[in-house]
Amino acid sequence: MAAKVNRSKKGRLIGEPDESINSWNNKNSLRRRLLSSISERLIYRSVFATLAICWYTGTINFSFNRNAYLSWPGEPAPQKPYICHAPLPAVLRSLPAPPSAPQFLTAARTLDAALTLRAAAPDMDSISVAVVTPSGPVFSKTYGALRANETDPRKRGKPDEDSLYRIASISKMFNVYEMMILKERGLLNWDDPVEKYIKNFTYYPNGWEEYLSQSQGGSAPGERTRKKDPITLRQLATHMAGIGRDYPPVTIPSWPKIDPRPERCPDVRYASTTIGDIMHNLPNSTEPILEMIKELPLVAPPYTYPIYSNTGFNVLGWAVAAAAGGKPEDYPDILYRDIFEPLGLSSAFNVTEKTAENVDLAFGPHNPAGGQFSSLKDLTKVMQTFLNPSRKESLLSPYTMREWLRPLHGFPDGLTEVGAPWEIVKVPDTNGNPRRWYSKSGNLLTSHSNFIFDPTTSFGVVVLMTGLDHGALKIAINAIQIFQRAFDHLLEQTTMELYGGYWKSDDGKSEMITYVEKGSLWLSRLFLNGTDIFEVLEGPLYPRGRRYGIWTTGRDEEFRVAIGRAELPGDVFVGCFPMWATFDPIFAKGAPVDLILFGGGRDERVAKVTSVGIVLKRKYWH
């Protein structure tokens, strides 16, 4: 039975005529119009009141300017116009402060106290740390016991700067170092395919589903599809080839159950595992490793994302040896000839059968990935040449070092990147500006190490450790943070002494004000022949306090003014793009208008704006 519909005066069916609505001449018309007007006003007031509350609480944001917009929850709130901070010139590279600088002495006392406390912990056997500049270390100390397993304290000894440490995967850095040396000699190129140097190199290009189906179907290895795209030296050096970590891989038949006895499961996660247990599963020739690359699918296709690969770096070392005219077994001798001997590294070596008498085990064909030993003194020498490749003993030109110090892949954390073979971390300086630190870590059982440096502030840290603590990178970052303020202060002070101040031409028609603030060099005033350049660039109503970043070109005393784009004052996503896109805009008198050349002694500094033929003399800078 259908439900009854209430047709009383209080309700009606949808679509039925409303007999209560009559013409405006109805006797209730005036009253309804008044009520309607009042209701509308109440609605408007409610809307405006709601918007006011949302604006006050930050739920909705208004921007009343030429780029006015309304942002809702889920969208970024408006921010102040982004100021792109130009990096300061690397003046400490050629003008390093001495270790006796008060800032260094204060930082050294702090770091020494922290390392003394850390070395006393039961999980630490020894620590050797150096804070390095192009001219040498400003801090270098060793802690702990040289032979921690000795029960007799008289035999334990103490490490020094020449003490040998197994640097494990820092060996990969020397592998790429040799590759860059050979590249400069014209013996190889970054993008050469591996088979140019290893004739029988090939790989299985398809995925695991096809591989497993072929294996189950009984396909012979020779029937499988072979490689499509080349694997190159660049890919190997940056872990971008997609090759797995260690070949032949460790197999655990009882997985997910694990037998903790190392002879049953030689896995480096267990403290009882020895180097012998690890090496027992590694072949002593190249053929089984190349066969595994040929048979197993890549973890990911080349250039997908980095896959950390000891195997890939072994292959790179064999290719480097071939490019140098040798065989895989000649790799240690080639590094000695091209790196260790020219730099005077007295302790660095790769373990071979000839040098294995006083160490635990020879790595054989695995030397390129992790077989090297070194000392604090030797790694300090290497870092000096990286920080200033213009040093006479440097093995690479500044051009090649600039090419080498580049990230190839950035992880989505915004913190870490991968280079060749750099493990790059972004560490904020004392002004909060992120700096790219190029590092390489090494970890093998109880040996842990880190080599990390920043080419802009021109200093780095070397950490060599033995013990159960794997935190060499953590200790290196702590050392950086302790010394960062000292280096930042010296960098800003030296930059201000050279490039900051009030500048004026002899005729008084041109003037300039430059200064250092928050880790950047700024231009806050520029008049040329009586013309306000800021007004030329942005109009007579340019923002009060406007300033332009002054960017070093990397050449001594040469800078460009970052003009940017004034029409993008509030776009928070463009970052430094407007500056980058507007360098070298137009020329005048044969020179770019954004070029400034500095020169002269510290007491008689000049700035040349060559596009107008003006020379400005510094009047004061303090």
Side-chain angles (χ1 to χ4, degrees), residues 578-605:
M579 316 304 170
W580 165 69
T582 54
F583 283 129
D584 209 42
I586 55 176
F587 276 49
K589 294 186 177 180
V593 299
D594 59 352
L595 175 66
I596 299 178
L597 301 175
F598 291 88
R602 289 199 180 191
D603 297 328
E604 297 179 350
R605 298 291 290 167

mmCIF file of all heavy atoms in Angstrom, residues 578-605:
data_model
loop_
_atom_site.group_PDB
_atom_site.id
_atom_site.type_symbol
_atom_site.label_atom_id
_atom_site.label_comp_id
_atom_site.label_asym_id
_atom_site.label_seq_id
_atom_site.Cartn_x
_atom_site.Cartn_y
_atom_site.Cartn_z
ATOM 1 N N PRO A 578 65.044 32.138 -12.394
ATOM 2 C CA PRO A 578 65.103 33.446 -13.073
ATOM 3 C C PRO A 578 66.516 34.005 -13.158
ATOM 4 O O PRO A 578 66.866 34.660 -14.141
ATOM 5 C CB PRO A 578 64.206 34.329 -12.197
ATOM 6 C CG PRO A 578 63.291 33.383 -11.506
ATOM 7 C CD PRO A 578 64.107 32.152 -11.257
ATOM 8 N N MET A 579 67.336 33.750 -12.128
ATOM 9 C CA MET A 579 68.720 34.233 -12.174
ATOM 10 C C MET A 579 69.509 33.467 -13.233
ATOM 11 O O MET A 579 70.218 34.046 -14.056
ATOM 12 C CB MET A 579 69.382 34.058 -10.798
ATOM 13 C CG MET A 579 68.519 34.461 -9.625
ATOM 14 S SD MET A 579 67.940 36.170 -9.739
ATOM 15 C CE MET A 579 66.739 36.192 -8.415
ATOM 16 N N TRP A 580 69.358 32.175 -13.192
ATOM 17 C CA TRP A 580 70.077 31.306 -14.130
ATOM 18 C C TRP A 580 69.733 31.641 -15.577
ATOM 19 O O TRP A 580 70.592 31.618 -16.462
ATOM 20 C CB TRP A 580 69.721 29.857 -13.789
ATOM 21 C CG TRP A 580 70.056 28.856 -14.823
ATOM 22 C CD1 TRP A 580 71.297 28.448 -15.206
ATOM 23 C CD2 TRP A 580 69.134 28.107 -15.623
ATOM 24 N NE1 TRP A 580 71.200 27.482 -16.181
ATOM 25 C CE2 TRP A 580 69.883 27.266 -16.448
ATOM 26 C CE3 TRP A 580 67.745 28.056 -15.701
ATOM 27 C CZ2 TRP A 580 69.292 26.383 -17.352
ATOM 28 C CZ3 TRP A 580 67.151 27.193 -16.591
ATOM 29 C CH2 TRP A 580 67.926 26.360 -17.408
ATOM 30 N N ALA A 581 68.465 31.967 -15.819
ATOM 31 C CA ALA A 581 68.000 32.173 -17.200
ATOM 32 C C ALA A 581 68.312 33.557 -17.740
ATOM 33 O O ALA A 581 68.092 33.810 -18.933
ATOM 34 C CB ALA A 581 66.489 31.921 -17.274
ATOM 35 N N THR A 582 68.816 34.463 -16.889
ATOM 36 C CA THR A 582 69.013 35.838 -17.363
ATOM 37 C C THR A 582 70.466 36.295 -17.309
ATOM 38 O O THR A 582 70.744 37.481 -17.488
ATOM 39 C CB THR A 582 68.147 36.812 -16.535
ATOM 40 O OG1 THR A 582 68.422 36.629 -15.130
ATOM 41 C CG2 THR A 582 66.674 36.586 -16.792
ATOM 42 N N PHE A 583 71.394 35.382 -17.057
ATOM 43 C CA PHE A 583 72.804 35.766 -17.155
ATOM 44 C C PHE A 583 73.144 36.122 -18.611
ATOM 45 O O PHE A 583 72.586 35.566 -19.551
ATOM 46 C CB PHE A 583 73.714 34.624 -16.694
ATOM 47 C CG PHE A 583 73.782 34.460 -15.205
ATOM 48 C CD1 PHE A 583 73.562 33.236 -14.616
ATOM 49 C CD2 PHE A 583 74.087 35.533 -14.379
ATOM 50 C CE1 PHE A 583 73.612 33.078 -13.241
ATOM 51 C CE2 PHE A 583 74.156 35.388 -13.002
ATOM 52 C CZ PHE A 583 73.911 34.158 -12.428
ATOM 53 N N ASP A 584 74.081 37.063 -18.773
ATOM 54 C CA ASP A 584 74.565 37.434 -20.100
ATOM 55 C C ASP A 584 73.434 37.942 -20.992
ATOM 56 O O ASP A 584 73.251 37.470 -22.113
ATOM 57 C CB ASP A 584 75.236 36.213 -20.750
ATOM 58 C CG ASP A 584 76.320 36.605 -21.733
ATOM 59 O OD1 ASP A 584 77.088 37.524 -21.414
ATOM 60 O OD2 ASP A 584 76.394 35.987 -22.804
ATOM 61 N N PRO A 585 72.659 38.947 -20.524
ATOM 62 C CA PRO A 585 71.444 39.342 -21.261
ATOM 63 C C PRO A 585 71.737 40.125 -22.535
ATOM 64 O O PRO A 585 71.326 39.722 -23.622
ATOM 65 C CB PRO A 585 70.689 40.197 -20.237
ATOM 66 C CG PRO A 585 71.761 40.754 -19.340
ATOM 67 C CD PRO A 585 72.847 39.719 -19.290
ATOM 68 N N ILE A 586 72.434 41.262 -22.423
ATOM 69 C CA ILE A 586 72.748 42.101 -23.588
ATOM 70 C C ILE A 586 74.173 42.631 -23.433
ATOM 71 O O ILE A 586 74.743 42.605 -22.339
ATOM 72 C CB ILE A 586 71.764 43.282 -23.741
ATOM 73 C CG1 ILE A 586 71.715 44.107 -22.437
ATOM 74 C CG2 ILE A 586 70.386 42.791 -24.135
ATOM 75 C CD1 ILE A 586 70.854 45.336 -22.515
ATOM 76 N N PHE A 587 74.729 43.127 -24.536
ATOM 77 C CA PHE A 587 76.093 43.650 -24.547
ATOM 78 C C PHE A 587 76.080 45.162 -24.791
ATOM 79 O O PHE A 587 75.148 45.721 -25.387
ATOM 80 C CB PHE A 587 76.912 42.983 -25.648
ATOM 81 C CG PHE A 587 77.506 41.662 -25.272
ATOM 82 C CD1 PHE A 587 76.748 40.673 -24.670
ATOM 83 C CD2 PHE A 587 78.849 41.398 -25.531
ATOM 84 C CE1 PHE A 587 77.298 39.456 -24.327
ATOM 85 C CE2 PHE A 587 79.411 40.187 -25.182
ATOM 86 C CZ PHE A 587 78.636 39.210 -24.587
ATOM 87 N N ALA A 588 77.141 45.808 -24.314
ATOM 88 C CA ALA A 588 77.402 47.210 -24.621
ATOM 89 C C ALA A 588 78.909 47.400 -24.610
ATOM 90 O O ALA A 588 79.599 46.889 -23.725
ATOM 91 C CB ALA A 588 76.731 48.127 -23.599
ATOM 92 N N LYS A 589 79.404 48.103 -25.614
ATOM 93 C CA LYS A 589 80.837 48.326 -25.758
ATOM 94 C C LYS A 589 81.634 47.010 -25.740
ATOM 95 O O LYS A 589 82.722 46.922 -25.177
ATOM 96 C CB LYS A 589 81.356 49.266 -24.671
ATOM 97 C CG LYS A 589 80.801 50.681 -24.773
ATOM 98 C CD LYS A 589 81.446 51.619 -23.778
ATOM 99 C CE LYS A 589 80.915 53.045 -23.972
ATOM 100 N NZ LYS A 589 81.525 53.998 -23.016
ATOM 101 N N GLY A 590 81.037 45.993 -26.339
ATOM 102 C CA GLY A 590 81.721 44.724 -26.496
ATOM 103 C C GLY A 590 81.761 43.851 -25.258
ATOM 104 O O GLY A 590 82.496 42.853 -25.233
ATOM 105 N N ALA A 591 80.994 44.189 -24.211
ATOM 106 C CA ALA A 591 81.009 43.401 -22.977
ATOM 107 C C ALA A 591 79.585 43.236 -22.455
ATOM 108 O O ALA A 591 78.727 44.096 -22.686
ATOM 109 C CB ALA A 591 81.876 44.082 -21.918
ATOM 110 N N PRO A 592 79.295 42.142 -21.758
ATOM 111 C CA PRO A 592 77.957 41.968 -21.180
ATOM 112 C C PRO A 592 77.690 42.996 -20.087
ATOM 113 O O PRO A 592 78.592 43.366 -19.329
ATOM 114 C CB PRO A 592 77.998 40.542 -20.601
ATOM 115 C CG PRO A 592 79.443 40.224 -20.446
ATOM 116 C CD PRO A 592 80.171 40.987 -21.499
ATOM 117 N N VAL A 593 76.427 43.447 -20.002
ATOM 118 C CA VAL A 593 76.096 44.518 -19.060
ATOM 119 C C VAL A 593 76.068 44.033 -17.619
ATOM 120 O O VAL A 593 76.067 44.852 -16.689
ATOM 121 C CB VAL A 593 74.741 45.160 -19.416
ATOM 122 C CG1 VAL A 593 74.800 45.785 -20.807
ATOM 123 C CG2 VAL A 593 73.598 44.153 -19.315
ATOM 124 N N ASP A 594 76.043 42.718 -17.393
ATOM 125 C CA ASP A 594 75.999 42.215 -16.009
ATOM 126 C C ASP A 594 77.384 41.840 -15.488
ATOM 127 O O ASP A 594 77.512 41.249 -14.417
ATOM 128 C CB ASP A 594 75.063 41.010 -15.906
ATOM 129 C CG ASP A 594 75.469 39.856 -16.803
ATOM 130 O OD1 ASP A 594 76.389 40.023 -17.625
ATOM 131 O OD2 ASP A 594 74.858 38.766 -16.688
ATOM 132 N N LEU A 595 78.440 42.186 -16.235
ATOM 133 C CA LEU A 595 79.797 41.798 -15.870
ATOM 134 C C LEU A 595 80.465 42.852 -14.984
ATOM 135 O O LEU A 595 80.421 44.047 -15.275
ATOM 136 C CB LEU A 595 80.635 41.606 -17.140
ATOM 137 C CG LEU A 595 82.131 41.310 -16.949
ATOM 138 C CD1 LEU A 595 82.330 39.950 -16.293
ATOM 139 C CD2 LEU A 595 82.857 41.385 -18.291
ATOM 140 N N ILE A 596 81.078 42.383 -13.884
ATOM 141 C CA ILE A 596 81.900 43.236 -13.022
ATOM 142 C C ILE A 596 83.235 42.542 -12.814
ATOM 143 O O ILE A 596 83.286 41.368 -12.435
ATOM 144 C CB ILE A 596 81.235 43.513 -11.666
ATOM 145 C CG1 ILE A 596 79.899 44.231 -11.842
ATOM 146 C CG2 ILE A 596 82.152 44.348 -10.772
ATOM 147 C CD1 ILE A 596 79.174 44.497 -10.527
ATOM 148 N N LEU A 597 84.321 43.271 -13.057
ATOM 149 C CA LEU A 597 85.668 42.744 -12.864
ATOM 150 C C LEU A 597 86.333 43.501 -11.715
ATOM 151 O O LEU A 597 86.368 44.740 -11.720
ATOM 152 C CB LEU A 597 86.496 42.906 -14.141
ATOM 153 C CG LEU A 597 85.958 42.224 -15.399
ATOM 154 C CD1 LEU A 597 86.833 42.583 -16.602
ATOM 155 C CD2 LEU A 597 85.904 40.720 -15.212
ATOM 156 N N PHE A 598 86.829 42.754 -10.746
ATOM 157 C CA PHE A 598 87.511 43.372 -9.616
ATOM 158 C C PHE A 598 89.025 43.222 -9.791
ATOM 159 O O PHE A 598 89.497 42.350 -10.524
ATOM 160 C CB PHE A 598 87.078 42.719 -8.303
ATOM 161 C CG PHE A 598 85.655 42.995 -7.923
ATOM 162 C CD1 PHE A 598 84.624 42.176 -8.373
ATOM 163 C CD2 PHE A 598 85.337 44.081 -7.116
ATOM 164 C CE1 PHE A 598 83.309 42.429 -8.027
ATOM 165 C CE2 PHE A 598 84.021 44.343 -6.761
ATOM 166 C CZ PHE A 598 83.006 43.517 -7.216
ATOM 167 N N GLY A 599 89.768 44.059 -9.092
ATOM 168 C CA GLY A 599 91.216 43.967 -9.168
ATOM 169 C C GLY A 599 91.883 44.864 -8.143
ATOM 170 O O GLY A 599 91.221 45.548 -7.349
ATOM 171 N N GLY A 600 93.220 44.845 -8.163
ATOM 172 C CA GLY A 600 93.984 45.673 -7.255
ATOM 173 C C GLY A 600 94.299 44.986 -5.943
ATOM 174 O O GLY A 600 93.769 43.912 -5.630
ATOM 175 N N GLY A 601 95.186 45.609 -5.154
ATOM 176 C CA GLY A 601 95.509 45.105 -3.834
ATOM 177 C C GLY A 601 94.382 45.352 -2.857
ATOM 178 O O GLY A 601 93.414 46.072 -3.149
ATOM 179 N N ARG A 602 94.524 44.784 -1.653
ATOM 180 C CA ARG A 602 93.435 44.916 -0.687
ATOM 181 C C ARG A 602 93.188 46.360 -0.296
ATOM 182 O O ARG A 602 92.068 46.732 0.036
ATOM 183 C CB ARG A 602 93.751 44.085 0.563
ATOM 184 C CG ARG A 602 93.667 42.596 0.340
ATOM 185 C CD ARG A 602 93.518 41.835 1.630
ATOM 186 N NE ARG A 602 93.443 40.400 1.401
ATOM 187 C CZ ARG A 602 93.095 39.527 2.338
ATOM 188 N NH1 ARG A 602 92.820 39.932 3.560
ATOM 189 N NH2 ARG A 602 93.037 38.238 2.061
ATOM 190 N N ASP A 603 94.206 47.202 -0.309
ATOM 191 C CA ASP A 603 94.046 48.597 0.098
ATOM 192 C C ASP A 603 93.701 49.510 -1.066
ATOM 193 O O ASP A 603 93.356 50.683 -0.851
ATOM 194 C CB ASP A 603 95.331 49.095 0.772
ATOM 195 C CG ASP A 603 95.643 48.333 2.053
ATOM 196 O OD1 ASP A 603 94.684 47.910 2.727
ATOM 197 O OD2 ASP A 603 96.835 48.156 2.360
ATOM 198 N N GLU A 604 93.768 49.014 -2.289
ATOM 199 C CA GLU A 604 93.463 49.813 -3.470
ATOM 200 C C GLU A 604 92.616 48.999 -4.442
ATOM 201 O O GLU A 604 92.981 48.771 -5.595
ATOM 202 C CB GLU A 604 94.754 50.287 -4.147
ATOM 203 C CG GLU A 604 95.607 51.204 -3.282
ATOM 204 C CD GLU A 604 96.885 51.647 -3.976
ATOM 205 O OE1 GLU A 604 97.190 51.077 -5.049
ATOM 206 O OE2 GLU A 604 97.557 52.543 -3.462
ATOM 207 N N ARG A 605 91.469 48.606 -3.974
ATOM 208 C CA ARG A 605 90.594 47.762 -4.789
ATOM 209 C C ARG A 605 89.815 48.599 -5.798
ATOM 210 O O ARG A 605 89.403 49.744 -5.518
ATOM 211 C CB ARG A 605 89.597 47.007 -3.900
ATOM 212 C CG ARG A 605 90.245 46.055 -2.911
ATOM 213 C CD ARG A 605 90.874 44.871 -3.607
ATOM 214 N NE ARG A 605 89.861 43.980 -4.161
ATOM 215 C CZ ARG A 605 90.120 43.006 -5.036
ATOM 216 N NH1 ARG A 605 91.356 42.846 -5.514
ATOM 217 N NH2 ARG A 605 89.166 42.217 -5.466
#
